[in-house]
Amino acid sequence: MASNNNWVDDGVDELTDLIQRAEGSPWGKTCSALWAQAAKVAEDRGDMKMAVRCYVELVTAYVQGGESTRVIAPFAWLERNFRDNPQWFDDVELPGYSDGLIHQLGWYYKYVFSAARELPNVSVVQTEQILQRMHDFYQQQSDPQRAWYFRNYEMYRRLGEQEKAEGFYQQWLNADRSELSDCALCDPGHEVDYYARLEQWDKAIEIGEEALGAESQCSNQPEQLLSDLLLPWLYSGRDDKAWAAHLRAYRRYQQSATYLQNLDQQLVYLAVSGRAGRPERLERGLTIVSRHIPWIKEAESPRVLLDFAATVTLMLDSFDGERDAEVLDVTLPGAELPWASAPQVERPTIRQARDWFYQLALDLTEQFVQRPGHPHPEREMERLNEILNPLPAPEPTVKSAIPDVSGMKISEALSASSASDVVDDEELSTLESEPGLSADQLSGPWKDMSLSELLTRDAEFGSAVSSIYWMQALERVVAEPQLLDADLPDLSDAARSEWEQLRLEIRELLYEEDESPYRIPDVISDPAFKLIAQAEQFMDSGDYMEAAQTADEALGADTADPLGARLRALRLLAQAAQKAGYIEEAIEPARELLNISSAAQLPYRQSVAAVYLVQLLGRRRRWEEMAEVAQNALDVLERQHLGGVVLPHLHLALAQASGKMEQSETAALHLELGAQTMPVKDQDAHTQALTRAAQAYREAHRFPDSIRVWQQVLALVEDGFAQASTVLDELTIADNDADAIVQAEKDYNTAVRQVCQTLYQFSESIGQQPGQVPDEDVALLESMMERLRTLVTDPNHTEFLKRSPQWYEADWQSDMGHMYMLCYKYGMAESHFQASIAGFEQLNQTECALEVSCRLAHMYLITGQLDQASELITQISDAVAEPKFAGKNVRSYARQLKQHLNSLRDGY
């Protein structure tokens, strides 16, 4: 076929480019900037319908991207021109907006009101004017004004005008719902908040729980309603539900700085419940505060920053004074802080951080005190004091020595029956089929023993017993790895043997050195540990049912070390159930193992238990719980500054669960972290994790991150290819044994394929960027594709690639056409497609040539070259009509192309 000379341009129009890049960008400043630029270009061109569309998209981008206070200007443009130039708004296409343009404008009044409320320099009069315009617009649409009534209630409540606020609240309750009303979960959330302020917890719960069964497409739900219910559930004795709701909500809110505004409810819940006899909640709160302090540099409004500062002050003020000098590994920003001024403080103590946030909260509160026209400015300080002095929550009616910190049973807790069923915290603890552990048994002399004393005491039980003294010694050395080289001269021979074994195990845990040899316990006299030793022998011989029964018996046996015996028996019980194929039955003892380890303050043992538990949960496809267990364990390791081989396991588990829950960005982040924390010897696993991270970043539309990670992957596989080449060359030259050469050839072939696959996928990721691909990226793509061409057409690779160099040259030409088509370089793509077709025809590869012809025809269709497409599709259709193409994909492809062509012509 002759070359097509009808290409208008090799590239994409500037406005189209901006829109495609905006559509392909995740919410955030880049996305918003692209829509703002597109709106300006459309205006400058006089394409006012497209300008309308771009300004609509810009308002949404500002709200979704954490810049909600910037919606006022683009909305003012839309509002003004809807009034003055209504013809611009006729038949405007809004892809992705099912409710139409008028609905969007009505909805945007809510955003503008919220922006005005969040900015203290916007006067009360200006805010009332916005509400009046909202009222007029809704009236024009014959709307019952339900959403407008609520905004008035919200404004006057915050201003301290209680009588006015109550009047509007009642009008809101009585108004009919409409398409402009808040969603089916947001509206009940307003009622939950109303009754919570009155401390009518049961009423708040009744409304909220009934609403949780409703369907909603709202992007804020159900996490926002669950957050609204946190304190009502806590204050009414349903902390099981509150805790589960917090876990579910925070898992979402931890993903992006745009959720900073949602963290205040989580921190208040953790502080209030932590003060009421749940100290582990305060530790979790401190971890969350430390993790998200960097986000305050992106706080989208003064109100968001104020609420976060106030709740952080509450959280830090919840710790005993003896923790005041504890140093936090964070930086409190100074010049980068938006909306207020504050000094930069690096690695503050808890007291310094508390004072810093309190002063920030005071300064921001003063801004709202100064709001022009504020009828009750004193209300702002009252509000701050209410946050800092919350109502105390009831302490657990039964304090469990072993609270459930796993994060499991979220859905079960949230679907539990009614608000009146008070659940003791003991119900959150682990199952107690045998006599459990008391608080006294969770702590003992081992806490204060030296390393030598721990090893000596452990040796008194026998060898390979894994007593609590062994476990405590392991925790001590893992926290201080320099102790591996400690000289312990006073150890007995038995204790020294245990010390050498412990060092091997710790090196395996921290550095994944050679696995320490497996040892059956040799117990001196302890009844429980003797049963555990028997269970170990059953496990070693594959008698898993006997092992489980013996381990279960050990749980109730007499012992001088109830904590160590229980931990070891639980691990055996879980392992035996797993090996026997009873995965569900293995989960409960694994969960109890994790919780006891936490209660006994054995953080590394807890993280090891978490690794085992997430593996079990993954096999049962319990992704939500798997994610929570992994995240909680990572939090513990972060808080304790611990590392080792458990880190990559937990990151990869969280990535797997996040991917299954379609949270691509979180999956990508933890795949990359998992790769970074892997031992050096796990090169293949490292490369595989980074490859999956690059793919996940692409799915999350984070193309720069995808390209960045692909560069790392390419460097790794090229290095592996170079090493495989060197090994093969040296073996061949040295004429070593045949088996070694065969293995080296296999490794070389694998390395070649891995490089080829990476080059192709990396190139495709570059081309799949939205909009016009930058010239430097196109140049990178071209260089990688040339590298791919060199590899696949190398005659030395023919044997294992199974095709001739000529076939791969034709195939490469098709791939290159595909890449150029992705980059909007249609003329160059056409040339490569035609070269591929000619190459396959010379090789008598008719089916391959027809498949590439289909690609070329498809490109003609998407670029509007219908005459060229029609001619080529006719040729393809005639060719595939032959009987030999029956059932072949190329015949189906040709039929689809003909249907596409007809639909396009019908459209014209």
Side-chain angles (χ1 to χ4, degrees):
M1 167 171 282
S3 177
N4 176 21
N5 297 315
N6 297 325
W7 302 110
V8 176
D9 182 26
D10 242 4
V12 63
D13 169 74
E14 179 187 12
L15 181 56
T16 302
D17 172 47
L18 289 167
I19 290 174
Q20 289 182 348
R21 287 164 59 196
E23 289 176 329
S25 298
W27 299 121
K29 293 182 179 179
T30 298
C31 177
S32 300
L34 288 168
W35 281 119
Q37 193 176 349
K40 184 179 185 304
V41 170
E43 270 196 279
D44 290 346
R45 290 183 178 183
D47 188 349
M48 304 315 293
K49 288 185 181 294
M50 185 56 72
V52 168
R53 186 224 164 160
C54 291
Y55 276 116
V56 167
E57 298 279 11
L58 179 57
V59 172
T60 301
Y62 278 147
V63 171
Q64 298 294 337
E67 300 179 278
S68 62
T69 57
R70 301 188 66 183
V71 302
I72 296 175
F75 178 76
W77 187 95
L78 289 167
E79 185 183 40
R80 181 178 65 254
N81 285 297
F82 183 72
R83 180 187 67 241
D84 299 342
N85 299 287
Q87 70 278 9
W88 295 354
F89 292 74
D90 294 338
D91 302 321
V92 172
E93 293 186 7
L94 292 176
Y97 294 84
S98 59
D99 296 315
L101 181 55
I102 302 301
H103 179 273
Q104 286 306 124
L105 292 176
W107 203 267
Y108 287 170
Y109 276 103
K110 302 178 187 181
Y111 297 158
V112 175
F113 163 76
S114 295
R117 184 194 63 199
E118 299 280 298
L119 294 169
N121 61 329
V122 177
S123 71
V124 173
V125 170
Q126 289 173 310
T127 309
E128 289 175 332
Q129 289 171 346
I130 292 170
L131 285 173
Q132 183 58 51
R133 297 201 304 275
M134 178 182 179
H135 176 275
D136 295 344
F137 183 90
Y138 278 40
Q139 192 170 56
Q140 291 173 9
Q141 313 310 317
S142 301
D143 186 86
Q145 303 283 356
R146 182 177 173 88
W148 179 78
Y149 288 133
F150 184 77
R151 269 71 199 171
N152 278 274
Y153 157 72
E154 202 169 28
M155 179 180 71
Y156 289 116
R157 178 183 62 76
R158 287 176 177 261
L159 292 173
E161 297 278 73
Q162 296 304 323
E163 188 173 339
K164 279 187 179 180
E166 183 62 26
F168 279 112
Y169 181 82
Q170 295 303 324
Q171 288 178 289
W172 169 74
L173 275 181
N174 294 321
D176 293 334
R177 286 186 55 79
S178 71
E179 291 184 353
L180 290 174
S181 298
D182 294 342
C183 86
L185 293 186
C186 288
D187 260 1
H190 301 328
E191 290 189 76
V192 170
D193 179 71
Y194 176 84
Y195 286 108
R197 291 177 186 280
L198 298 175
E199 298 179 14
Q200 295 185 22
W201 312 120
D202 288 347
K203 183 66 173 177
I205 292 170
E206 178 187 350
I207 293 169
E209 288 190 344
E210 181 178 354
L212 282 174
E215 292 186 6
S216 173
Q217 301 300 316
C218 178
S219 61
N220 295 325
Q221 299 297 353
E223 289 80 6
Q224 182 57 62
L225 182 54
L226 291 173
S227 299
D228 293 335
L229 283 164
L230 288 174
L231 293 184
W233 273 329
L234 173 64
Y235 285 126
S236 63
R238 293 308 308 264
D239 189 47
D240 60 325
K241 289 194 170 188
W243 176 243
H246 160 69
L247 293 176
R248 175 165 178 176
Y250 177 66
R251 189 184 319 112
R252 179 182 183 185
Y253 296 152
Q254 70 181 335
Q255 295 181 37
S256 166
T258 58
Y259 293 120
L260 180 66
Q261 63 183 324
N262 301 100
L263 294 181
D264 57 323
Q265 289 176 296
Q266 311 306 315
L267 292 176
V268 169
Y269 165 70
L270 291 173
V272 174
S273 62
R275 291 178 173 191
R278 303 172 182 87
E280 71 280 357
R281 304 284 176 84
L282 299 180
E283 297 302 328
R284 179 177 173 87
L286 185 60
T287 298
I288 290 173
V289 166
S290 299
R291 178 181 296 136
H292 299 299
I293 279 177
W295 287 7
I296 64 178
K297 294 182 289 187
E298 301 178 55
E300 63 180 301
S301 75
R303 178 68 74 185
V304 168
L305 186 57
L306 167 57
D307 289 348
F308 184 74
T311 52
V312 170
T313 303
L314 170 68
M315 174 57 68
L316 298 179
D317 196 45
S318 300
F319 289 94
D320 293 335
E322 60 191 38
R323 299 277 298 271
D324 277 357
E326 183 177 323
V327 174
L328 302 179
D329 191 18
V330 300
T331 296
L332 305 177
E336 296 177 283
L337 187 69
W339 313 113
S341 299
Q344 179 167 312
V345 182
E346 295 185 7
R347 304 192 79 246
T349 63
I350 285 181
R351 180 173 182 175
Q352 289 172 327
R354 182 184 65 218
D355 293 345
W356 190 92
F357 276 106
Y358 179 59
Q359 187 60 51
L360 177 60
L362 285 175
D363 293 345
L364 289 163
T365 297
E366 182 59 28
Q367 291 185 27
F368 285 94
V369 167
Q370 298 299 324
R371 184 192 289 276
H374 199 316
H376 300 285
E378 71 283 357
R379 176 66 195 126
E380 301 299 333
M381 186 55 70
E382 292 172 0
R383 180 178 181 274
L384 176 59
N385 288 328
E386 288 168 2
I387 295 174
L388 298 178
N389 298 281
L391 179 71
E395 293 204 4
T397 53
V398 178
K399 288 188 179 180
S400 171
I402 309 170
D404 185 1
V405 297
S406 68
M408 289 174 56
K409 303 196 173 182
I410 302 172
S411 300
E412 179 181 323
L414 292 179
S415 62
S417 55
S418 68
S420 60
D421 296 332
V422 176
V423 175
D424 294 333
D425 280 45
E426 188 169 303
E427 292 191 33
L428 296 177
S429 64
T430 52
L431 293 183
E432 301 288 347
S433 57
E434 298 290 344
L437 295 169
S438 67
D440 291 340
Q441 291 171 321
L442 292 168
S443 185
W446 57 84
K447 294 291 184 185
D448 301 315
M449 285 182 173
S450 68
L451 187 56
S452 294
E453 290 171 335
L454 289 168
L455 292 165
T456 299
R457 185 71 182 90
D458 174 67
E460 294 175 5
F461 285 85
S463 64
V465 173
S466 292
S467 70
I468 186 56
Y469 303 96
W470 165 281
M471 296 178 191
Q472 185 65 36
L474 184 144
E475 295 285 338
R476 188 84 50 81
V477 181
V478 165
E480 302 177 60
Q482 66 272 19
L483 291 176
L484 280 169
D485 300 320
D487 183 21
L488 304 176
D490 299 330
L491 294 180
S492 65
D493 290 344
R496 185 163 299 282
S497 175
E498 293 305 294
W499 172 225
E500 293 305 319
Q501 182 65 24
L502 182 68
R503 293 166 74 180
L504 288 173
E505 185 169 325
I506 291 173
R507 287 194 174 99
E508 179 190 348
L509 286 172
L510 291 184
Y511 312 118
E512 204 156 286
E513 294 185 4
D514 293 338
E515 187 172 343
S516 56
Y518 174 72
R519 300 186 302 164
I520 296 291
D522 183 8
V523 183
I524 295 175
S525 62
D526 190 275
F529 281 113
K530 280 188 171 295
L531 287 168
I532 288 170
Q534 291 177 26
E536 294 267 17
Q537 291 173 336
F538 283 130
M539 286 290 294
D540 191 47
S541 62
D543 297 323
Y544 302 125
M545 296 303 294
E546 289 82 357
Q549 292 170 1
T550 307
D552 188 59
E553 187 179 349
L555 289 172
D558 290 337
T559 177
D561 178 13
L563 177 55
R566 191 168 188 84
L567 287 170
R568 188 62 190 144
L570 285 170
R571 179 62 190 264
L572 279 169
L573 189 58
Q575 287 177 321
Q578 176 199 358
K579 291 286 189 180
Y582 298 99
I583 305 301
E584 203 68 44
E585 287 74 8
I587 289 174
E588 196 55 39
R591 181 172 75 102
E592 187 171 359
L593 176 65
L594 183 152
N595 288 328
I596 294 176
S597 300
S598 172
Q601 298 178 5
L602 302 170
Y604 208 78
R605 177 72 52 177
Q606 179 183 348
S607 64
V608 172
V611 169
Y612 183 56
L613 182 54
V614 295
Q615 292 171 349
L616 296 172
L617 292 169
R619 291 184 63 178
R620 298 301 298 167
R621 301 179 182 274
R622 290 164 64 170
W623 308 121
E624 188 177 55
E625 292 172 308
M626 181 181 177
E628 199 56 48
V629 171
Q631 182 64 71
N632 287 351
L634 286 169
D635 290 348
V636 170
L637 292 172
E638 177 185 338
R639 194 160 58 239
Q640 300 291 336
H641 303 287
L642 299 175
V645 296
V646 292
L647 267 178
H649 285 295
L650 291 168
H651 280 302
L652 295 178
L654 182 51
Q656 180 188 10
S658 299
K660 294 296 184 179
M661 294 187 292
E662 300 183 354
Q663 297 171 354
S664 299
E665 190 167 351
T666 301
L669 173 64
H670 286 282
L671 281 165
E672 188 174 3
L673 289 171
Q676 291 171 355
T677 53
M678 281 179 184
V680 176
K681 71 177 185 179
D682 282 345
Q683 197 64 49
D684 290 342
H686 179 78
T687 303
Q688 184 181 35
L690 283 178
T691 300
R692 290 164 56 203
Q695 295 166 342
Y697 276 130
R698 183 177 62 184
E699 291 172 10
H701 296 277
R702 287 180 53 170
F703 292 97
D705 286 313
S706 179
I707 291 171
R708 172 181 57 78
V709 176
W710 273 123
Q711 289 173 325
Q712 298 176 41
V713 175
L714 182 58
L716 287 169
V717 297
E718 287 281 19
D719 183 59
F721 174 60
Q723 291 180 28
S725 299
T726 300
V727 170
L728 181 60
D729 289 344
E730 291 176 349
L731 283 173
T732 303
I733 293 171
D735 196 26
N736 281 24
D737 65 272
D739 290 343
I741 293 176
V742 168
Q743 184 59 51
E745 287 176 341
K746 287 181 179 179
D747 293 343
Y748 178 82
N749 297 345
T750 299
V752 171
R753 288 193 179 92
Q754 198 168 26
V755 172
C756 291
Q757 291 169 356
T758 301
L759 288 166
Y760 182 87
Q761 292 182 70
F762 188 177
S763 299
E764 192 171 49
S765 290
I766 290 174
Q768 288 175 336
Q769 295 177 85
Q772 187 72 53
V773 179
D775 291 342
E776 60 271 22
D777 284 355
V778 174
L780 175 61
L781 180 154
E782 290 171 336
S783 69
M784 289 193 298
M785 289 300 292
E786 281 299 328
R787 168 76 170 137
L788 175 62
R789 183 184 198 178
T790 301
L791 289 170
V792 298
T793 59
D794 186 337
N796 294 321
H797 298 159
T798 301
E799 182 178 349
F800 68 86
L801 288 178
K802 307 302 183 185
R803 303 272 192 174
S804 70
Q806 294 78 15
W807 188 95
Y808 276 109
E809 170 65 21
D811 186 59
W812 178 89
Q813 292 286 351
S814 175
D815 289 341
M816 196 68 226
H818 170 64
M819 298 302 174
Y820 276 131
M821 187 173 74
L822 291 175
C823 296
Y824 300 103
K825 295 185 176 297
Y826 297 121
M828 300 175 75
E830 179 188 41
S831 297
H832 282 281
F833 282 140
Q834 290 178 341
S836 175
I837 294 167
F840 280 128
E841 287 176 343
Q842 289 176 3
L843 296 170
N844 292 320
Q845 296 286 322
T846 307
E847 185 175 349
C848 293
L850 288 171
E851 287 177 349
V852 180
S853 296
C854 287
R855 283 190 176 189
L856 178 56
H858 179 251
M859 188 181 76
Y860 288 150
L861 289 174
I862 65 175
T863 55
Q865 306 291 322
L866 299 191
D867 291 341
Q868 292 283 71
S870 178
E871 179 183 350
L872 184 54
I873 290 171
T874 298
Q875 294 176 14
I876 297 169
S877 299
D878 291 344
V880 300
E882 294 183 27
K884 65 180 180 179
F885 293 108
K888 299 287 186 178
N889 289 335
V890 68
R891 179 180 284 187
S892 174
Y893 198 174
R895 184 165 56 250
Q896 292 171 11
L897 289 169
K898 184 178 289 186
Q899 292 171 350
H900 190 183
L901 174 65
N902 292 335
S903 67
L904 289 173
R905 282 178 165 166
D906 291 342
Y908 286 112

